[in-house]
Amino acid sequence: MRKFSILIVLSILGSYFPVCKAQKNPEKVIKSIYNNSQHSDKSYEMLRRICKEAPGRLPGTHELEKAIELVKETLIQNGADSVWLIPVISSGWKEVKKPIVQLILGDDKYINLNAVSLGQSVSSAEKGIDAQVVMIDNKSQIDSLGEAGLKGKIVFFNLKMQERRDYGKMVWQRVQGSSLVAEYGAIGVIIRSLTTKYDDVPHTGVMRYADNTKQIPAVALSWQAADSFEINLQKNPDLKVHLEVFCDNPGLINTNNVVGEIKGSKYPNDIFLLTGHLDAWFNTEGANDDGGGVAQIIDVIRIFKELKIRPKHTIRIMPYIDEEQFNSGIVQYAASIADDKQTHLIEIEVDNGIGVPYGFSIQADSSVFTKQVKWRKLLEPYQIDMLRFSNSYAESWPLYQKNKIILGHLLCEDVHYFDYHHSANDVFESVDKTNLQSGSAALATFIYLLDKMDVIDNSKRKPEEIKAQMSR
Ligand SMILES: [Zn+2]
């Protein structure tokens, strides 16, 4: 009889404190993380609100400020121990009106092509530009054409992405194309969008004007518009184009990164940082890039709090601004923590779209991550055990460059990423809810294991890295 009542008491306690009991057993905690994540609509609802209430979240817009408020509110609702804003100074560039691109066929006949302004582009002269076109599909053509071939012309950069990996090889046509041809006297630039999607939706992205080079207007055409352009040019090499671009750059503006954290119970000054960018281009809801990433990192706090997982280290979540143009949100954060009393053990940046997650890339020597056999095994049942250690990209990333903080990424399936990227295709409806939730769970699991097993051994890092991190 006594035994029986003890059993009843134990089972009642068990149902009241399921996670406290499970916390000793990582398998059970991870199971509860996945269970919680897959039964919660909160990150999906958060994403819907960011996309529908605050599309086109560039610095200087009402939409970005609205998104900052939404994120702040959600972090508070999710139970973050503290939530605050970090002021950031950023660029207020904007597209005022959709550009006009017309192929002039003569006798008042023309074809309108669907285009979008490139980020940071200047406007055209008030009446626009009418000029002949030079098509370029290879960087070396620029120097061989020179001033004789380019002066007074509009240049059509026509490099075609065939697969996701082409982006890295071709992005120069958008970023540097204008300056490269302005040097030889070109007066405008039209590029084929950097996309893998054959449709009539143009994709924007940032461009840069080199110092001491004339700033000429630049736009991107949809894939289908670029095809039409190419065909018409082949029929008539003397074809003229009319180009009008309407942009404004009011200069610097003040805005904020948002931060929310759970204080570590044992090492409050040691931080695991999760980042995703809140800004999105003017022509998009920014669901995959990167509203979804923001929704996922915010959800990590909710999962930890709902499951009453008390981390030993501090978990800091930072949706930041202006990744798309100058990365000022991260750059200024990197500067602000330089003399900090705290140590950032790792930054995990979540900005690869919302595909099926399958692991993590980590920009560090593998030996820095101890007990790997033990904790990698725990990732296997959830198919997130692919770990890629390397140092190949971190050099250009502000928190690594300045503070030598290890950079990690959530890896997910991304073959269709450039169908959406920087375009009107990147809407809430394009995000798969299960993938979104699995990403939150993968992140929460990874952070839980790093925290629980004290995985990162900072003493095994390169001397200069340790110095940069330990200068407190
Ligand atoms: Zn992004």
Side-chain angles (χ1 to χ4, degrees):
M1 180 71 189
R2 211 173 141 220
K3 228 180 195 173
F4 181 65
S5 51
I6 287 170
L7 278 177
I8 293 175
V9 170
L10 283 178
S11 70
I12 291 171
L13 280 175
S15 60
Y16 269 108
F17 303 106
V19 178
C20 298
K21 198 177 146 200
Q23 277 210 18
K24 292 193 179 88
N25 179 334
E27 276 104 335
K28 284 192 182 158
V29 176
I30 296 171
K31 198 169 174 191
S32 70
I33 287 173
Y34 269 81
N35 199 23
N36 176 289
S37 167
Q38 278 154 3
H39 289 92
S40 167
D41 286 343
K42 292 208 172 129
S43 63
Y44 194 56
E45 172 59 11
M46 162 90 224
L47 178 61
R48 188 192 65 77
R49 292 194 67 191
I50 295 180
C51 290
K52 300 303 175 190
E53 295 176 29
R57 306 175 286 279
L58 283 186
T61 61
H62 168 73
E63 284 78 8
L64 180 62
E65 296 311 308
K66 171 89 194 175
I68 288 170
E69 272 313 304
L70 265 172
V71 160
K72 204 176 118 190
E73 260 171 46
T74 311
L75 279 165
I76 293 168
Q77 276 165 16
N78 284 0
D81 296 341
S82 38
V83 177
W84 69 97
L85 300 179
I86 299 181
V88 178
I89 298 169
S90 184
S91 159
W93 177 91
K94 60 183 172 202
E95 181 193 66
V96 177
K97 213 166 83 176
K98 209 173 143 56
I100 298 169
V101 181
Q102 291 174 329
L103 306 182
I104 304 167
L105 303 181
D107 303 331
D108 283 341
K109 272 203 271 173
Y110 54 84
I111 299 173
N112 271 313
L113 299 180
N114 202 2
V116 68
S117 309
L118 292 186
Q120 294 293 315
S121 173
V122 293
S123 294
S124 57
E126 213 174 306
K127 286 182 182 162
I129 312 163
D130 287 4
Q132 277 190 339
V133 181
V134 178
M135 190 176 88
I136 283 178
D137 48 24
N138 184 325
K139 205 174 190 173
S140 64
Q141 281 172 271
I142 299 173
D143 288 333
S144 37
L145 280 160
E147 201 174 310
L150 294 170
K151 195 167 182 186
K153 302 277 171 59
I154 290 174
V155 174
F156 173 35
F157 284 105
N158 193 26
L159 279 77
K160 298 171 191 175
M161 269 181 77
Q162 305 294 352
E163 55 160 338
R164 191 210 181 294
R165 280 176 297 185
D166 288 340
Y167 185 77
K169 290 178 236 163
M170 297 181 181
V171 71
W172 67 267
Q173 74 174 341
R174 189 191 75 216
V175 181
Q176 301 148 14
S178 302
S179 286
L180 293 174
V181 296
E183 215 171 304
Y184 292 117
I187 57 172
V189 158
I190 299 172
I191 72 163
R192 181 185 284 268
S193 287
L194 291 162
T195 182
T196 38
K197 182 91 173 166
Y198 180 86
D199 64 9
D200 197 25
V201 179
H203 299 236
T204 188
V206 78
M207 59 165 298
R208 291 269 183 264
Y209 292 118
D211 295 341
N212 308 319
T213 307
K214 191 165 169 12
Q215 302 191 343
I216 59 174
V219 301
L221 295 179
S222 73
W223 189 279
Q224 287 173 358
D227 276 359
S228 164
F229 197 3
E230 186 181 338
I231 291 164
N232 278 285
L233 255 180
Q234 277 159 357
K235 277 194 238 161
N236 175 14
D238 297 327
L239 182 74
K240 276 193 165 183
V241 170
H242 175 73
L243 175 65
E244 274 182 81
V245 185
F246 315 91
C247 298
D248 185 27
N249 197 340
L252 297 177
I253 54 106
N254 292 301
T255 178
N256 295 283
N257 292 337
V258 192
V259 183
E261 69 178 25
I262 305 177
K263 218 24 153 200
S265 58
K266 197 168 168 193
Y267 311 110
N269 287 328
D270 288 356
I271 297 170
F272 297 128
L273 176 68
L274 290 168
T275 53
H277 66 89
L278 198 47
D279 59 314
W281 285 106
F282 56 88
N283 59 333
T284 173
E285 289 181 8
N288 284 274
D289 183 18
D290 183 27
V294 167
Q296 287 174 325
I297 59 173
I298 289 174
D299 214 37
V300 170
I301 292 222
R302 185 193 60 74
I303 293 169
F304 268 68
K305 285 292 180 178
E306 284 186 10
L307 296 178
K308 299 188 172 55
I309 304 171
R310 277 200 77 193
K312 293 184 285 185
H313 308 78
T314 290
I315 299 174
R316 181 175 290 177
I317 309 293
M318 185 172 74
Y320 63 94
I321 60 102
D322 190 26
E323 187 270 347
E324 297 293 4
Q325 297 180 87
F326 293 100
N327 230 359
S328 54
I330 281 282
V331 169
Q332 289 171 42
Y333 180 75
S336 77
I337 59 167
D339 306 315
D340 223 342
K341 295 275 176 285
Q342 297 172 319
T343 300
H344 287 61
L345 292 173
I346 189 168
E347 176 200 6
I348 299 176
E349 162 81 354
V350 185
D351 187 18
N352 285 330
I354 309 301
V356 180
Y358 61 86
F360 297 87
S361 71
I362 299 164
Q363 312 284 329
D365 193 284
S366 162
S367 66
V368 175
F369 285 70
T370 61
K371 305 168 205 168
Q372 281 191 41
V373 176
K374 207 169 159 191
W375 60 267
R376 287 176 87 150
K377 212 169 173 50
L378 293 164
L379 301 174
E380 271 173 31
Y382 303 91
Q383 283 117 38
I384 52 166
D385 53 317
M386 159 72 86
L387 293 179
R388 279 191 204 139
F389 290 96
S390 84
N391 253 324
S392 55
Y393 303 107
E395 290 301 340
S396 62
W397 188 252
L399 283 172
Y400 182 85
Q401 218 176 34
K402 194 164 174 68
N403 319 77
K404 302 291 177 218
I405 295 167
I406 297 170
L407 174 65
H409 286 103
L410 174 68
L411 295 172
C412 57
E413 175 278 310
D414 60 2
V415 282
H416 290 292
Y417 185 59
F418 285 94
D419 290 5
Y420 309 110
H421 188 249
H422 299 175
S423 81
N425 290 334
D426 191 8
V427 290
F428 171 70
E429 290 77 5
S430 70
V431 169
D432 181 280
K433 187 172 142 202
T434 307
N435 290 350
L436 185 79
Q437 292 164 325
S438 305
S440 303
L443 289 164
T445 298
F446 193 56
I447 291 290
Y448 162 73
L449 288 174
L450 297 187
D451 178 70
K452 169 98 180 162
M453 297 190 180
D454 294 303
V455 166
I456 301 173
D457 185 350
N458 242 337
S459 68
K460 293 203 172 122
R461 302 187 66 198
K462 291 183 209 148
E464 75 271 18
E465 292 179 335
I466 297 165
K467 210 175 134 216
Q469 278 225 329
M470 297 297 175
S471 60
R472 45 182 175 150

